[in-house]
Amino acid sequence: MEATRNEALEAWMDEHGYSSNSLAEAVNRAHERLTGRPGGLDGSSIRGWKAGKVRWPKSAQRAALEDVSGLPATALGFVPRGRTPSAPAPPQEDLDMKRRHLVGGIAAAAAAAAAPGTVGPRRIGMSDVQRLQRRFAEIIASDHRYGGQLGIEQQAAALADEALNLQSAGSATQRVRNNLYACAASFRSSAMWAAIDGRRYADAKAHMREAQALAEMSGDQEIKFRIWSHAGTMFRHIGRPAEAFAANDVARNLHITRRDPMFASLGLARQGAIYGAAHDRTGARRAFGQAEDALERADPHAYRPMWLLAFYDQAELHSLALSANLSLGDYPTAEFHAHRCLSILRPHMRRSHAITTTRLAHAQLAQGDIEAATATAMKVPTDAATQHARVSRMLQEFGAALRARAPRSSTAQTWTEHTRDAWKATA
């Protein structure tokens, strides 16, 4: 039988700018990271995948591909052995419509399963909630590795729908229903953050509205804090400090910040970053001092949600202080916080490492240290430099500032050649 082209994989590669060779390299790196053994793929291997000659890659290759894409292999058009291939994947512009129809179909099927005359409604319990929470942990891990990718946003949004579908799939206690709403709000907040990180702000606002409604239904203070704190960050990124303050104040006024100093510290640190964007030096200094004090008071053994433990610590506080001082034009202090952040940043925070390194390069360039700044900027990994929207934008701004400061220098020429080679490698 003639092989059917894997159009879903082709569409995903086109959307994310992968050639066959560059995807093979990315999957090989993930394979080695996951298994400790080098991957053996090359461009022809990927072309075989696209041509449909390989319907179900080996398990380690699938795991590596899923690590790179943030999507399950089935979502990329691969078919487990023993199953009949589905129809060719629809064009990218039809994906949202397809998801809506799919969600509606699942809900209808769930309602039919619970109708009189059938075997009876399924009992939804905390085991279902725990399964969703494990998926949430996977989303968080993908975000810290890659950040801002459309695939992460779409996967998180689909999982939010899955959590909501369980509400109509059977009977459940009120505790379970509240937890399901909290799960759905958590996934929506991750979709929102991926959109913010990828500079897709209109999508981020849509996710924010859904997340806020779900969080209210859950009654979960922790996820309410996350959503409103993300909203403050979003408005800061798009240059609207008044709205950023208002959103962050909602988070900071939740009683969770009075119960746990770590939440209070994060709210204050993000407030400090907003003060920086608003060019309020006194407000920023005061907020970061209070954030530092609150973090020192936080009980290191207290229970906290996984999403908070995964990223907030002294390194993140330094990262936010770095951002604020760059905005304030205090470049020596910004450089100090950058070095402190990088020295204690946890290894899994790959996205944060790339952002901090890029900001450090900006701080050094602004102080006239052209060679050191360029050397720093060249340390940013190619995948982050070319595929992460925030990092790409900051590096473009770095290049423009470098050429303005030293237009005919050998350093500027070195940077131009470096960026050209980096983009060529991912073409």
Side-chain angles (χ1 to χ4, degrees), residues 162-344:
E162 182 179 331
L164 285 177
N165 287 333
L166 282 173
Q167 294 281 5
S168 58
S171 61
T173 64
Q174 190 59 47
R175 172 173 174 258
V176 169
R177 293 198 182 280
N178 288 345
N179 274 277
L180 288 174
Y181 281 126
C183 284
S186 298
F187 286 125
R188 273 293 164 193
S189 68
S190 283
M192 172 188 174
W193 178 250
I196 293 170
D197 211 25
R199 299 179 61 82
R200 299 181 294 276
Y201 296 120
D203 293 335
K205 291 175 186 176
H207 291 306
M208 177 185 70
R209 288 188 288 271
E210 291 193 46
Q212 287 167 341
L214 291 166
E216 286 301 319
M217 288 188 281
S218 76
D220 188 313
Q221 288 268 311
E222 295 169 350
I223 199 60
K224 285 183 186 179
F225 179 96
R226 187 180 197 232
I227 293 161
W228 282 104
S229 186
H230 280 347
T233 300
M234 176 182 70
F235 288 121
R236 171 168 62 89
H237 284 331
I238 59 181
R240 288 155 61 175
E243 290 167 90
F245 279 123
N248 199 55
D249 280 344
V250 175
R252 291 179 58 230
N253 287 328
L254 292 167
H255 69 71
I256 187 70
T257 63
R258 294 186 290 277
R259 193 173 74 230
D260 188 341
M262 183 171 281
F263 279 89
S265 178
L266 176 56
L268 285 161
R270 285 180 167 166
Q271 194 86 341
I274 299 169
Y275 276 123
H279 306 292
D280 184 339
R281 190 180 304 273
T282 301
R285 186 180 299 113
R286 181 178 62 249
F288 282 115
Q290 293 171 339
E292 185 79 42
D293 291 343
L295 189 58
E296 289 179 359
R297 293 197 310 273
D299 179 359
H301 305 296
Y303 165 79
R304 294 184 178 93
M306 171 268 303
W307 61 262
L308 181 64
L309 294 174
F311 88 100
Y312 190 60
D313 55 12
Q314 191 72 48
E316 179 65 13
L317 202 158
H318 281 298
S319 175
L320 289 165
L322 161 62
S323 174
N325 281 282
L326 277 178
S327 298
L328 291 166
D330 186 348
Y331 302 116
T333 303
E335 181 174 4
F336 165 80
H337 285 294
H339 286 300
R340 290 296 302 276
C341 176
L342 291 171
S343 69
I344 57 177

Side-chain angles (χ1 to χ4, degrees), residues 71-82:
L71 295 171
T74 51
L76 294 172
F78 292 103
V79 182
R81 292 182 179 86

